[in-house]
Amino acid sequence: MPEIRECPLCGETMRLRESQTVVRVPGHTRATVRTTREWVCPECDYFEETEDGR
């Protein structure tokens, strides 16, 4: 279970969101998938990237 974080703006519980982006370089056939993890507050839309960098 991921750790729980409190929003510094409104005090609500933040959620850990993971998203993947496909990066295509012109002239190459292979695409790279980039994964980003960030904490998001559902109440006030505040967000910050995770500290582990994954």
Side-chain angles (χ1 to χ4, degrees):
M1 186 170 167
E3 66 180 272
I4 296 173
R5 224 181 253 172
E6 186 177 294
C7 178
L9 296 179
C10 69
E12 290 293 322
T13 302
M14 296 176 73
R15 296 181 184 155
L16 188 60
R17 180 173 64 183
E18 185 174 299
S19 60
Q20 294 181 339
T21 305
V22 177
V23 179
R24 298 184 189 275
V25 178
H28 291 81
T29 57
R30 292 177 49 181
T32 304
V33 178
R34 183 178 188 181
T35 302
T36 306
R37 295 176 69 202
E38 60 188 7
W39 289 99
V40 179
C41 178
E43 294 298 319
C44 69
D45 294 328
Y46 173 81
F47 68 95
E48 59 186 48
E49 289 187 18
T50 58
E51 296 171 359
D52 62 7
R54 286 190 248 158

